[in-house]
Amino acid sequence: MHIALATAALLATRALADGLEESLSFGVRDTIQLSEWSADLEFRATGPERGGGNIQLWYAKDGPSVVDTSSLYTIQNFDGLVLVLDTYGGRGGSIRGFLNDGTVDYKGHHSVESLAFGHCDYSYRNLGRPSKVQVKQKGGSFEVTVDDRPCFHSDKVQLPSNYYLGVSAASAEVADSVEVFKVVVHSFTPSTAAPPAQAAGSQGQRGESTAAQDTAQDAQIRDIQTRLGSMTQQLDRLEGLMRTAAERPGQATTPQQGQEGSGASVNDRMLNEQVTGLDQRLRSIERTLRTIQSDVEGRDFKDRLDRLQSALEAAHTNLMTHLPASMSKIVSTSAPRMWTFIFAIVLIQLALAASYVIYKRRRASAPKKYL
């Protein structure tokens, strides 16, 4: 029963996760129609010591169709900006900015790292808290801050409007776990007083943008709630079927269940067959365990252990009693005798003396040479 419930929950959760991933990566099909804006990204990355991967914050034209779920190293031609957070260079973490006007193929470039126009070091992994990255485009100045501290800025970057904002990620062999908490776009309040008509127009524009963002967020929330409700109904239905099958294993579905449709009846019969097979296997395992338990409990191992202990004690006593005498006998019979050693030394001395005498006689009988 638990296996079937877990399988159903996994399938429903996978469908929900696919929907969330689609909503995260350019899921909001609205462009940023503001000339001065800021985007906040709050996330948390955790993983093992040697984990890796990267996170991209995109501001791109035709983002849903061109970028989608690509990363910096798999995208070909795109028009816009991408901020990359990764562990490039082995410094523990960094934030780098890349620009493209649609003419550079990043996937086929021989050195993508050299195309960055700004960067800063930031160790974002395993901090135990969310990290906040903010992108600001205001008054002809582009700035990136991390945790409310400056990262890099440029007065030569002016991003156009009507581009899409999205987030993507890529995993390494040892992947990190990335949690995205918030992706929010804000508009800046004008610093100087404007005429009443212009101020009203700007307020109306901001109100329309905020209303569009709220509508998109409400649509996402409703979609998530619908998916959760569907998953809950499926789990409740499966739990009821499992409970009925567990109470009456082997029986067919009830007439009320048969009225739900031919497809539901087939699924119910399959679930009942699975539950019946699992129940039979569990009963077989239970019988085997009972047989082993009775066999172990019926035997008396105390006598065998006592005999084994007595045998070990006798072997130890015999070893300690006869070992010293045996060693002494081996040493006395196998060791060389003293007279043999003295006789060998005398023979060596006599051989040396005979050799010396022969040498002297040959030298004396040799012819002498005179100069």
Side-chain angles (χ1 to χ4, degrees), residues 232-266:
T232 303
Q233 292 177 0
Q234 293 178 4
L235 290 177
D236 291 340
R237 182 171 174 271
L238 286 174
E239 185 177 2
L241 291 175
M242 294 300 104
R243 188 180 298 109
T244 303
E247 292 175 355
R248 294 179 296 175
Q251 296 183 1
T253 56
T254 60
Q256 295 179 356
Q257 294 175 346
Q259 295 176 0
E260 295 178 359
S262 59
S265 300
V266 173

Side-chain angles (χ1 to χ4, degrees), residues 135-146:
V135 181
K136 298 180 181 179
Q137 177 69 66
K138 181 179 181 181
S141 176
F142 176 80
E143 182 181 7
V144 176
T145 61
V146 53

